[in-house]
Each structure stands twice: as structure tokens, then as C-alpha cells.
Amino acid sequence: MTESDFAEADAKYNPLSESVLDNPFDAYRDLRDSCPVHHTADFRPDFFTLSRFQDVNSALEDRDGCTWSAKFGSSPQFNRALGFNQDPPENNEFRKMFRGWFSATVANRNRGLIDDTIN
């Protein structure tokens, strides 16, 4: 990612605007071409929109929150961030509640249900 990726693109871009909601794919293409990491300051908290696969993947792999963090805003927020939308250590207790549900043993036990749901 380069500094130019963070440049403010079209200040009129609003992910919740009628034009974007009616045809999001044109807006996403424009973002990828002009400002792949778009900062929206019109909401509280403000947030960033990632429009390239490599940036989304990087954000998902950033487990320590060094580059991408809930403190930078994960989406337009109307409530306080909770659970998985928080960074450690705030989300540690929440994650503990679900840890057993995502173990290899439980996944194997539910393989049929998972496959049926996916397919």
C-alpha cells in the first residue's frame, strides 16, 4: 500500500447514499481505481473503506491490530463496538465464549451440517 492509496477520493462518496446502494459495483470500481483505501469522515466514528482484495486480506490477517484496527472504524457505527468488532484485549472475554465452538473437534463433528449449509 502506498501513501497515494489513502488520498481522499471523491468527497461525495458515501457508502450509504442512494446512488451507491443502487449500484455499489460502479462505486467500488471507482474506489479501486482512484482511492483504494477511502476515508469517510462524515460518520462517527469515521471509518475506512477497503476496495482491493489484497487490502481486505491484509486487514483480516492483521491479528495484532497494528495496521487495521477497530479504533479506526470498521463501518458506519450507530452503537459502541462490541464482541468481534473490538480489538484485544477488550474482545478477549467475548472470544473465549466462542473458542470451543470453532475447535477442530467440533468442526469435524459438525462436518455434515457445515457441508450441507455451504452447498
Side-chain angles (χ1 to χ4, degrees):
M1 211 170 321
T2 66
E3 188 68 30
S4 65
D5 291 340
F6 288 94
E8 290 286 342
D10 182 0
K12 296 175 187 159
Y13 173 75
N14 173 345
L16 300 178
S17 71
E18 189 172 327
S19 63
V20 171
L21 293 173
D22 284 346
N23 188 359
F25 300 105
D26 285 345
Y28 301 156
R29 184 184 60 248
D30 291 344
L31 280 179
R32 280 193 307 275
D33 294 344
S34 64
C35 184
V37 181
H38 184 272
H39 179 239
T40 300
D42 296 335
F43 296 93
R44 289 292 168 246
D46 55 339
F47 63 94
F48 291 88
T49 300
L50 305 178
S51 60
R52 295 186 304 199
F53 173 82
Q54 64 213 42
D55 296 328
V56 172
N57 198 45
S58 171
L60 292 172
E61 291 179 350
D62 184 16
R63 291 187 173 95
D64 296 327
C66 295
T67 305
W68 304 107
S69 168
K71 69 183 174 190
F72 301 123
S74 59
S75 65
Q77 298 285 318
F78 303 101
N79 299 305
R80 177 174 65 89
L82 296 171
F84 290 121
N85 290 325
Q86 293 176 302
D87 291 323
E90 291 83 12
N91 73 355
N92 289 347
E93 289 301 313
F94 184 82
R95 292 173 64 94
K96 283 180 190 176
M97 289 190 299
F98 294 94
R99 187 174 297 144
W101 294 4
F102 297 106
S103 70
T105 302
V106 172
N108 284 328
R109 186 178 331 139
N110 293 309
R111 181 179 300 275
L113 172 65
I114 294 168
D115 288 344
D116 290 346
T117 302
I118 291 170
N119 293 325

